[in-house]
Amino acid sequence: MSTVESPALADVLRHAAAAWQLFREGRSLNRSMTTALGARADLRPAVQDALYTAVRHLAANEYIVKRLAARAPAAEVAALLAVSLAQLLSERHSDYVVVDQVVTTAQSSPQTRGAAGFVNALLRSFLRQRASLLPELQRDETVRYNLPRWWLERLRAEHPHDWIAIAEAQQQVPPLILRVNAARTTIGAVLAQFVEHGIAATRVGAQAVWMHQPRPVAEIPGFNDGDVSVQDAGAQLAAQWLEAAPGMRVLDACAAPGGKTAHLAELGATDVTAVELDKARATRIADNLRRCHVTARIVIGDAARPDMWNEGSHRPFDRILLDAPCTASGILRRHPDIPWLRRPADVAQLTTVQRELLDALWPLLGVGGRLLYVVCSLFPDEGRVQIARFVERHTTARPLPLPVAQMLPTPVAVSAWNGSPLPTMHDGFFYALLEKTG
Ligand SMILES: C[S@@+](CC[C@H](N)C(=O)[O-])C[C@H]1O[C@@H](n2cnc3c(N)ncnc32)[C@H](O)[C@@H]1O
């Protein structure tokens, strides 16, 4: 617990509450934060910490407010409560400092001034009843696992044996995993350099290194030179399993921000086309390729409309990577806002998009070529069921075995590098490798 009685906490809570309101209107946490911060980029680390703490306690906060308030507060007031209750629940600062600073924040704005007394009373009431409320919170599953009811029920129905382990693992702070650039250096050399800098790290995959103490990328030796990149260990399996050799025509169909494109090129692919629908995100592919000293052809376009970007190109692809848009239900450790932004109908809508992408890309693959389908989702409709239906529709598709098809982010890694259990090193993914037979 810190007892920093800095007046800056009021500033942090004010900006975090403004971002929280945008987030609850449906924007991602990161976008909301950027908008709310405006010119106050100096506050970003503190506001980010406050926001992620709040999202990790979202269900608890809603429960407490419902339990202690006679009626639902206005959005501006609810946002102040969300960010300050999370501070109290996580014991980041002393109780007194949090209450004092959030009341100051409430008084500083005409929209919340009238509710400053209510905020003060609710937080004090929580503190008085904390001892009895905390066990009550644990008894409610949506609060304990911090998930919307529909999401929790889906997870339970689809993973009846693993859902608790998954839900618990998804609440952990994720490890920082690096990908070593095989075109420039080796894991041994990177680990030796880390030892020189006093950085503790362990190899957890073919090119994957776990950095025990996370730090900003600019402070990671070799990051700016492209020797290492940040990429989850599960995501690193894509380029590894696609086996794209020099000279092969390779398509990365949904490419931004280009982590897998760069990895394909680092492993020796010399003819990679990276397609991305979102123009702004596509610029990040170019940035990543440049930093990693590798190249690929970047196309801004809809991968489901190859007539728009593959015209005149008669040579079929030898390899296709489809890292499809999905619910991202496997990466909640890194994006805890996801379940609160999704609606139940999103699953079916994304399943349709994935099906259209698969059907549109399959004709571009040459006979004997391979398509690797990836989603960072745990919902079978986006993974196992999607691919089973695809194989039914396409008699030329033959699924090839992979070491792991479904990776669940359970507390112990299923694919530990040397066979010994490690803390979960990968997010949740589904992979399928399909060969074209005719
Ligand atoms: C899961 S992310 C890809 C991550 C990327 N492969 C990496 O490893 O860095 C999916 C990407 O697909 C893009 N996308 C969605 N629909 C698309 C489409 N129809 N055509 C091309 N890109 C699309 C999204 O904008 C998003 O950048």
Side-chain angles (χ1 to χ4, degrees):
M1 183 193 292
S2 135
T3 50
V4 184
E5 299 186 21
S6 154
L9 183 60
D11 236 6
V12 170
L13 293 176
R14 185 157 52 82
H15 285 87
W20 189 260
Q21 249 186 281
L22 297 173
F23 160 59
R24 293 307 274 152
E25 286 164 14
R27 283 201 236 179
S28 81
L29 216 48
N30 271 334
R31 274 196 192 177
S32 305
M33 179 164 55
T34 302
T35 307
L37 280 172
R40 292 300 308 273
D42 58 306
L43 288 179
R44 195 174 182 99
V47 168
Q48 180 164 329
D49 184 66
L51 278 173
Y52 275 78
T53 305
V55 84
R56 290 197 156 99
H57 292 91
L58 194 155
N61 146 60
E62 286 193 339
Y63 184 100
I64 294 166
V65 173
K66 229 183 238 170
R67 179 86 162 55
L68 300 181
R71 57 192 143 80
E76 298 87 1
V77 180
L80 279 179
L81 288 172
V83 295
S84 52
L85 273 170
Q87 294 292 314
L88 295 178
L89 285 163
S90 63
E91 304 185 356
R92 284 280 204 284
H93 300 276
S94 71
D95 297 343
Y96 164 76
V97 170
V98 175
V99 177
D100 175 67
Q101 294 292 286
V102 76
V103 170
T104 304
T105 310
Q107 284 165 339
S108 71
S109 154
Q111 271 110 35
T112 51
R113 194 168 296 142
F118 164 77
V119 169
N120 187 26
L122 189 135
L123 294 182
R124 286 182 190 283
S125 162
F126 165 71
L127 291 172
R128 270 195 313 277
Q129 300 181 52
R130 180 159 52 186
S132 62
L133 273 172
L134 292 183
E136 211 177 293
L137 291 175
Q138 282 306 305
R139 281 197 291 277
D140 185 304
E141 280 176 338
T142 62
V143 176
R144 181 156 15 118
Y145 301 118
N146 194 38
L147 291 171
R149 170 71 54 197
W150 73 269
W151 186 290
L152 187 130
E153 294 308 343
R154 189 165 193 131
L155 192 66
R156 191 201 318 257
E158 294 179 346
H159 297 282
H161 305 297
D162 298 310
W163 76 273
I164 292 180
I166 294 170
E168 284 175 350
Q170 297 261 52
Q171 287 180 301
Q172 306 303 312
V173 175
L176 176 62
I177 309 292
L178 303 176
R179 180 188 77 241
V180 172
N181 185 342
R184 287 174 65 81
T185 183
T186 61
I187 288 211
V190 166
L191 289 176
Q193 195 188 12
F194 284 1
V195 169
E196 270 175 36
H197 285 83
I199 296 172
T202 314
R203 181 180 192 170
V204 292
Q207 282 93 38
V209 167
W210 166 36
M211 204 169 185
H212 300 191
Q213 294 298 323
R215 55 171 71 194
V217 287
E219 293 169 23
I220 299 176
F223 179 85
N224 288 333
D225 301 328
D227 289 352
V228 293
S229 302
V230 174
Q231 189 177 41
D232 182 75
Q236 294 191 33
L237 297 170
Q240 200 179 312
W241 285 345
L242 196 60
E243 294 183 339
M248 283 185 177
R249 189 162 186 241
V250 182
L251 173 66
D252 184 354
C254 291
K260 297 184 184 74
T261 318
H263 195 193
L264 285 163
E266 289 169 10
L267 291 182
T270 49
D271 181 2
V272 182
T273 301
V275 177
E276 170 57 45
L277 187 61
D278 184 323
K279 198 173 167 188
R281 281 174 64 80
T283 61
R284 296 179 59 198
I285 308 176
D287 293 345
N288 271 321
L289 293 176
R290 201 174 310 115
R291 186 181 53 79
C292 296
H293 305 271
V294 287
T295 54
R297 175 178 164 245
I298 301 171
V299 176
I300 297 164
D302 182 349
R305 293 288 314 275
D307 53 309
M308 307 287 284
W309 48 266
N310 196 42
E311 227 175 333
S313 190
H314 299 296
R315 197 180 139 207
F317 286 99
D318 303 293
R319 294 285 185 269
I320 296 178
L321 172 62
L322 174 54
D323 187 8
C326 68
T327 55
S329 59
I331 56 172
L332 305 198
R333 294 186 306 177
R334 295 179 203 283
H335 302 282
D337 52 340
I338 285 170
W340 307 103
L341 294 168
R342 297 267 179 238
R343 300 283 166 267
D346 293 351
V347 185
Q349 188 254 327
L350 283 158
T351 304
T352 304
V353 171
Q354 293 150 3
R355 191 189 64 226
E356 287 169 358
L357 282 163
L358 277 163
D359 288 348
L361 295 172
W362 192 246
L364 309 188
L365 191 65
V367 175
R370 291 175 176 189
L371 181 149
L372 185 68
Y373 175 78
V374 193
V375 278
C376 54
S377 173
L378 305 174
F379 297 148
D381 281 358
E382 301 180 88
R384 182 172 45 76
V385 175
Q386 179 74 271
I387 291 304
R389 291 192 179 137
F390 179 80
V391 172
E392 270 171 29
R393 284 198 304 282
H394 298 267
T395 52
T396 55
R398 181 167 76 97
L400 298 177
L402 284 173
V404 198
Q406 169 91 69
M407 277 180 286
L408 303 176
T410 47
V412 171
V414 288
S415 54
W417 175 246
N418 57 5
S420 63
L422 291 167
T424 309
M425 282 303 151
H426 55 75
D427 289 331
F429 287 93
F430 172 84
Y431 274 95
L433 184 60
L434 304 168
E435 188 173 58
K436 195 159 185 178
T437 56

